[in-house]
Amino acid sequence: MQVPANFEYAKATTVEEALALLARHGDEARVVAGGHSLIPMMKLRLAQPEALIDINDVTELSHIRIDGGELCVGALVRHAELLDSAVVGEHFPILHDAERVIADPVVRNRGTVGGSLCQADPSEDLSAAFGALRASAVIRGPYGERTVPLREFHTGPYETVVEPGELLTELRIPIRPGGSSAYVKVERRVGDWPLAAAGAALRLAGGRIAEAGIGLTAVRAEHFVAAEAEEVLRGAVPSEEVFAEAGRVAARHCDPGSDQRGPADYKRHLAGELTTRALRRAYERCPT
Amino acid sequence: MNITVTVNGQTYTRDIEPRLLLVHFLRDELDLTGTHWGCDTSNCGACVVWLDGVPVKSCTVLAVMAAGKEVRTVEGLERDGELDPVQRGFTECHGLQCGFCTPGMLMTSRWLLDHNPDPSEAEIREAVSGQICRCTGYENIVRSVRWAAEHSARDTEEVAR
Ligand SMILES: Cc1cc2nc3c(=O)[nH]c(=O)nc-3n(C[C@H](O)[C@H](O)[C@H](O)COP(=O)(O)OP(=O)(O)OC[C@H]3O[C@@H](n4cnc5c(N)ncnc54)[C@H](O)[C@@H]3O)c2cc1C
Ligand code: FES
Ligand code: FES
């Protein structure tokens, strides 16, 4: 039986209260959202926070809404809620593609968008999806609010720019006409973490690719994106050849390792192939 | 710390450590041993219960997180001595052998049927995809849920008539 070490527990109902509780309990306090990464780590004693601040009742972080030309997703939105949201599917099908293959439906009922990003697991799916979309993260702390591009959010495996005492409150994605997006993942079995996965977001203008975003996960791509492959696409006329070339460049610039999920060369192959497939699907979905 | 939780409509107050997991709270503090505890790693789904109307894996939820909320377990499926249609489906269609996965399967199936009264085979398989059964090969679980779907519909029609 796995039992976490002892800790103090406090429940917050507002962002202000959560920040005050974090301040009161100091650096050894941790936020708990869905708990589906943190509680398993506490059971294994890989994490031993002295205090847990429960934000599950902070309903102001559960919103999905459009505001000022951006889609705003609260940090406490559950995976299942993102998947169920029609407005999310309409603007960013990549997020529905990704959510369909993150964990299983019961885990998705509990795990949150903010918890996933803050956990910053190197195989995490939403980091690649939001990275492809050039989302930004809104972070609140004792000294106010700051907005960080998602491509600067992760500072290493399991590390982000969110400091102790701070709270990730929202993800924001710019809505631009003329584009679409897709996400493709290979997993060993249903509900598992990816061997590799790729997300693509395209915006077309005048028959050319005006903007391209490519996210990669589980293959040690820097900031979960394939910046060099994006360069190949920008300004190009969309075609099978250019999508295949972007895949080749993406594969070359990632750095997968071998582990129990698969050997490095296979993952590198997947990074390339899945990039091409995600681009193809995103292009097929673009309005004509 | 003192918490009050409503389980299957009944209110319980207990003094517990914050680190107690919901599955152990149900089994050891409340003696509701219908909820099973298997992998302990949120993979097998034997521990699925409803928390405020939503199926969750109770080995990965702290009991304190359920304070002030409503939990429904397999013991809460039966109504006035009548088995729920999903329970009858599992009996009729041989949906269990050892029964270890059954409470979790029943809770997820009931939720599925509440939200999608006529699910396809693929939808049933997707709904229970986070739950492992070592015995049935899932075929009879799918049949059991279909049985429940068909018979719930008939029950409702009979009531309407
Ligand atoms: C069986 C299983 C399979 C899974 N499969 C996948 C998969 O295929 N792909 C995938 O991407 N993920 C997968 N996951 C992870 C799942 O998505 C988790 O829900 C997610 O990693 C963590 O979200 P959470 O809300 O549970 O976070 P928690 O566990 O509550 O928190 C995780 C970390 O983030 C911090 N945190 C949480 N919210 C905030 C906030 N608002 N501000 C600041 N810090 C915060 C916590 O302090 C903690 O350090 C799986 C999980 C399980 C259990
Ligand atoms: S015991 Fe909870 S998922 Fe296995
Ligand atoms: S009936 Fe034995 S595990 Fe499912």
Side-chain angles (χ1 to χ4, degrees), chain A residues 43, chain B residues 23 36-48 57-60 100 130:
Chain A
K43 286 178 167 186
Chain B
V23 65
H36 289 170
W37 169 56
C39 67
D40 214 2
T41 58
S42 59
N43 284 290
C44 76
C47 64
V48 171
K57 294 184 175 175
S58 62
C59 69
T60 311
F100 197 80

Side-chain angles (χ1 to χ4, degrees), chain A residues 1-4 6-7 9 11 32-33 35-36 39-40 43 52 54 56-57 104-110 190, chain B residues 1 17-19 21 24 37 40 48 51 54-57 59-62 64-65 67 69 126-127 129-131:
Chain A
M1 178 164 151
Q2 301 173 353
V3 184
N6 263 317
F7 54 85
Y9 170 91
K11 194 180 284 215
V32 64
H36 272 47
I39 293 173
K43 286 178 167 186
L52 272 195
D54 183 352
N56 280 285
D57 286 349
D104 61 66
V106 182
V107 169
R108 292 201 292 265
N109 281 340
R110 195 72 187 151
V190 170
Chain B
M1 63 190 283
E17 283 187 338
R19 61 176 169 170
L21 297 164
H24 301 308
W37 169 56
D40 214 2
V48 171
L51 180 59
V54 178
V56 298
K57 294 184 175 175
C59 69
T60 311
V61 175
L62 299 168
V64 280
M65 291 171 131
K69 303 195 187 295
E126 161 71 10
S129 62
Q131 289 161 259

Side-chain angles (χ1 to χ4, degrees), chain A:
Chain A
M1 178 164 151
Q2 301 173 353
V3 184
N6 263 317
F7 54 85
E8 271 183 70
Y9 170 91
K11 194 180 284 215
T13 53
T14 63
V15 170
E16 284 309 315
E17 196 185 350
L19 291 173
L21 285 165
L22 282 170
R24 186 181 324 148
H25 288 276
D27 281 2
E28 296 305 316
R30 289 280 276 279
V31 168
V32 64
H36 272 47
S37 290
L38 185 53
I39 293 173
M41 282 179 35
M42 289 170 61
K43 286 178 167 186
L44 295 170
R45 309 274 172 125
L46 293 171
Q48 298 202 19
E50 284 170 15
L52 272 195
I53 313 303
D54 183 352
I55 60 167
N56 280 285
D57 286 349
V58 181
T59 46
E60 64 186 289
L61 297 182
S62 294
H63 58 279
I64 298 178
R65 63 168 169 260
I66 291 176
D67 178 24
E70 291 182 309
L71 178 76
C72 307
V73 178
L76 197 63
V77 168
R78 315 268 172 198
H79 292 300
E81 291 167 343
L82 198 65
L83 183 53
D84 278 348
S85 161
V87 63
V88 169
E90 178 194 339
H91 292 287
F92 302 108
I94 183 175
L95 295 176
H96 277 190
D97 291 348
E99 284 296 1
R100 244 174 244 122
V101 290
I102 290 177
D104 61 66
V106 182
V107 169
R108 292 201 292 265
N109 281 340
R110 195 72 187 151
T112 65
V113 169
S116 296
L117 291 175
C118 290
Q119 180 66 21
D121 187 294
S123 302
E124 205 269 310
D125 285 293
L126 287 182
S127 300
F130 281 109
L133 293 170
R134 292 190 166 75
S136 50
V138 183
I139 299 166
R140 282 252 300 266
Y143 307 110
E145 189 172 279
R146 60 194 174 112
T147 302
V148 178
L150 205 72
R151 293 174 173 218
E152 294 164 23
F153 183 80
H154 299 94
T155 50
Y158 307 102
E159 281 176 21
T160 72
V161 296
V162 181
E163 300 281 343
E166 286 188 323
L167 211 57
L168 171 66
T169 54
E170 185 177 80
L171 281 310
R172 292 177 153 259
I173 321 168
I175 300 175
R176 301 244 172 78
S180 196
S181 56
Y183 194 80
V184 197
K185 165 168 163 177
V186 168
E187 51 192 357
R188 291 177 304 173
R189 55 184 152 76
V190 170
D192 197 16
W193 295 82
L195 258 133
L202 288 175
R203 188 165 64 82
L204 307 179
R208 289 185 181 269
I209 299 170
E211 206 183 334
I214 299 175
L216 286 176
T217 192
V219 292
R220 280 197 287 206
E222 222 174 311
H223 300 296
F224 293 92
V225 294
E228 296 82 2
E230 292 169 349
E231 280 306 314
V232 171
L233 295 163
R234 199 164 301 127
V237 176
S239 68
E240 264 304 305
E241 290 70 38
V242 77
F243 295 157
E245 175 59 13
R248 278 192 292 275
V249 173
R252 210 177 309 136
H253 283 273
C254 65
D255 180 27
S258 298
D259 59 17
Q260 81 281 8
R261 289 205 173 80
D265 56 349
Y266 176 48
K267 291 189 195 171
R268 190 184 293 281
H269 166 77
L270 283 179
E273 180 58 30
L274 297 181
T275 295
T276 304
R277 287 188 199 173
L279 284 165
R280 196 182 288 144
R281 189 165 306 166
Y283 178 61
E284 283 163 6
R285 284 173 175 169
C286 282
T288 43

Side-chain angles (χ1 to χ4, degrees), chain B residues 84-95 143-145 147-148:
Chain B
D84 186 275
V86 291
Q87 292 173 304
R88 281 165 46 215
F90 273 66
T91 346
E92 291 293 328
C93 302
H94 207 62
R143 272 187 215 124
S144 304
V145 179
W147 189 97

Side-chain angles (χ1 to χ4, degrees), chain B residues 51-118:
Chain B
L51 180 59
D52 275 352
V54 178
V56 298
K57 294 184 175 175
S58 62
C59 69
T60 311
V61 175
L62 299 168
V64 280
M65 291 171 131
K69 303 195 187 295
E70 289 199 19
V71 174
R72 189 180 185 196
T73 70
V74 69
E75 287 92 345
L77 282 180
E78 179 185 313
R79 289 274 152 85
D80 307 322
E82 284 275 316
L83 290 182
D84 186 275
V86 291
Q87 292 173 304
R88 281 165 46 215
F90 273 66
T91 346
E92 291 293 328
C93 302
H94 207 62
L96 62 143
Q97 289 177 33
C98 80
F100 197 80
C101 69
T102 315
M105 292 289 179
L106 290 171
M107 295 316 289
T108 309
S109 305
R110 180 68 263 154
W111 190 87
L112 172 68
L113 292 174
D114 285 350
H115 292 80
N116 178 2
D118 189 22

